[in-house]
Amino acid sequence: MEVKGDDDYGAFIERFELRPPPHSPPHQPLQGLTFAVKDIFDISGHVTGFGSPEWARTHRPATSTSPVVLAAIDAGAICVGKTVMDEMAYSINGENVHYGTPTNPCAPDRVPGGSSSGSAVAVAAKLVDFSLGTDTGGSVRVPAAYCGIFGFRPSHGIISTTNVIPMAQSFDTVGDIINHENLGDYIHHKVPSLGKFMSNTSENQTSGIPSLAAISHSMRLLQRSEFKANHGEWVNTIKPNLGPGISERVSEALSETCENIEWCCAMRTELHAALCALLEDHGVLAIPTVPGPPPKLRVEAHTLELYRARAFSLLSIAGMSRFCQINIPLGMRDNLPVSVSLLARHGADHFLLNLAQALYPTLKEQASIAWELGN
């Protein structure tokens, strides 16, 4: 294993190359682009570390490769390694006590966001053209927002999670982290409609939507229950040395009694129905991706937990509804990245990607004008 070096912003945990077959068809959609994968995806012959040295020590090398990784290679891209992630994917901060915290290229004194931390940093630092991450509670959207790049959480179940270590299956998605220069390589269809925006809605339109606090609480309970079912036995057997914050969250998950699961599932169904009625086929919900700029490095745990709770009030909307969401970077304000998110109904992934590409120049321009007027 080639361990990460000083020149890669701490993004990589392992370097290697997986290239398309020698006689692949020419002019593939991702021809010649490089990408990295979060250390949660199986690569045949490599141990999938899940952000934990003890997980890596207690698991054998994978015998097959994630079909999503293979699909990117078959489309002409070159995989150049695995990236650092938060332990067991149980954080949105991007700090890993064992492997180090990847350096946020646009705000080096701030956390990069997680749990797909290295994947976002590798793209933001232009070490790769795009990267693959996973998003359960926000693990693609948050680091993309913190690092000033595009981050796409697809509709739940649209992209295969085979040969990806599960965190909480009913929320797990495989997402892309992309620089704006490469966004067009993913999109081959024209925008069918510019959609209708739902950033400010009337009381009648939103009356059926549960409160953000209830949505967030339900998501976290469901995720704890699923995490416990997936990894409780391993944690209780190995008793891994987990980092600050991670240890407390894993302990909470293992203590989960699952008493309110039916209520949480009903909340999810209610939210999905209400948002489907609100957005219909071509509606788009515009919201902040995160509640503010990325927190500073080495902030005390209590402050981070308060920020995390606020963040999940926003992040849980897509997670609980299973809708698709894209983080769109708007630029830097006071030397910190600013972004906005667009959400669309389940299955409207191509529509949302096309819309984001079409609106990106205008959104950046309008943000710049607003900031100048505010100075």
Side-chain angles (χ1 to χ4, degrees):
M1 175 186 294
E2 183 183 341
V3 182
K4 60 182 183 175
D6 294 333
D7 59 346
D8 67 2
Y9 291 75
F12 285 90
I13 196 164
E14 184 180 5
R15 292 273 204 166
F16 51 79
E17 275 199 4
L18 298 175
R19 292 179 169 272
H23 302 295
S24 299
H27 311 302
Q28 296 284 69
L30 302 180
Q31 189 75 41
L33 298 183
T34 58
F35 74 103
V37 298
K38 183 178 183 176
D39 193 22
I40 199 170
F41 291 84
D42 284 348
I43 303 287
S44 182
H46 298 261
V47 174
T48 309
F50 204 23
S52 163
E54 287 170 280
W55 183 278
R57 177 178 59 81
T58 56
H59 289 79
R60 298 181 60 81
T63 57
S64 54
T65 299
S66 158
V68 178
V69 175
L70 292 176
I73 295 170
D74 288 344
I78 303 165
C79 179
V80 297
K82 285 193 172 190
T83 55
V84 173
M85 60 174 284
D86 296 52
E87 286 178 273
M88 304 190 80
Y90 222 143
S91 175
I92 58 171
N93 296 328
E95 297 174 299
N96 188 308
V97 70
H98 305 290
Y99 297 119
T101 300
T103 302
N104 187 333
C106 68
D109 65 332
R110 306 280 174 147
V111 297
S115 62
S116 305
S117 54
S119 294
V121 167
V123 172
K126 300 189 183 299
L127 304 175
V128 294
D129 296 304
F130 69 96
S131 62
L132 298 179
T134 57
D135 189 311
T136 302
S139 291
V140 161
R141 292 164 288 165
V142 172
Y146 286 1
C147 292
I149 48 182
F150 283 92
F152 179 60
R153 174 194 166 96
S155 300
H156 184 265
I158 291 289
I159 297 177
S160 172
T161 55
T162 301
N163 292 110
V164 179
I165 298 175
M167 199 276 186
Q169 288 96 320
S170 73
F171 294 89
D172 292 344
T173 61
V174 170
D176 294 305
I177 301 172
I178 316 158
N179 262 320
H180 71 275
E181 296 96 333
N182 304 113
L183 184 63
D185 292 311
Y186 292 84
I187 304 168
H188 307 290
H189 305 288
K190 292 183 179 179
V191 181
S193 164
L194 283 182
K196 57 182 179 182
F197 280 87
M198 301 291 183
S199 56
N200 294 300
T201 52
S202 70
E203 187 175 337
N204 288 336
Q205 289 174 303
T206 59
S207 59
I209 298 177
S211 73
L212 291 179
I215 296 167
S216 175
H217 180 69
S218 298
M219 183 181 79
R220 295 170 84 169
L221 285 180
L222 288 169
Q223 289 184 355
R224 285 175 193 161
S225 174
E226 293 179 27
F227 180 91
K228 178 181 179 179
N230 289 326
H231 305 304
E233 182 179 352
W234 180 84
V235 173
N236 286 327
T237 301
I238 301 300
K239 296 179 173 52
N241 176 28
L242 300 170
I246 307 289
S247 177
E248 289 80 2
R249 282 191 284 280
V250 169
S251 178
E252 283 181 351
L254 268 56
S255 301
E256 180 57 51
T257 61
C258 306
E259 290 178 359
N260 297 310
I261 295 302
E262 287 188 12
W263 177 82
C264 295
C265 291
M267 174 75 67
R268 170 181 265 185
T269 301
E270 183 182 346
L271 174 67
H272 183 269
L275 286 179
C276 284
L278 176 68
L279 298 183
E280 299 177 336
D281 286 342
H282 292 129
V284 176
L285 187 66
I287 62 170
T289 307
V290 288
K296 289 186 176 181
L297 291 165
R298 295 174 289 278
V299 167
E300 60 125 4
H302 176 68
T303 302
L304 275 179
E305 192 57 35
L306 289 175
Y307 184 95
R308 185 172 181 267
R310 291 170 58 210
F312 275 122
S313 293
L314 297 166
L315 297 166
S316 60
I317 299 172
M320 286 288 283
S321 65
R322 299 187 174 96
F323 281 21
C324 50
Q325 178 175 345
I326 187 166
N327 175 75
I328 301 176
L330 300 179
M332 302 288 286
R333 168 80 163 164
D334 297 329
N335 295 316
L336 292 170
V338 179
S339 62
V340 68
S341 267
L342 302 181
L343 283 82
R345 66 170 175 80
H346 187 279
D349 300 59
H350 283 292
F351 163 72
L352 185 62
L353 285 168
N354 279 318
L355 183 63
Q357 185 183 34
L359 293 180
Y360 177 56
T362 301
L363 289 174
K364 278 200 71 173
E365 180 184 11
Q366 291 302 311
S368 296
I369 293 171
W371 296 335
E372 286 180 14
L373 293 174
N375 289 333

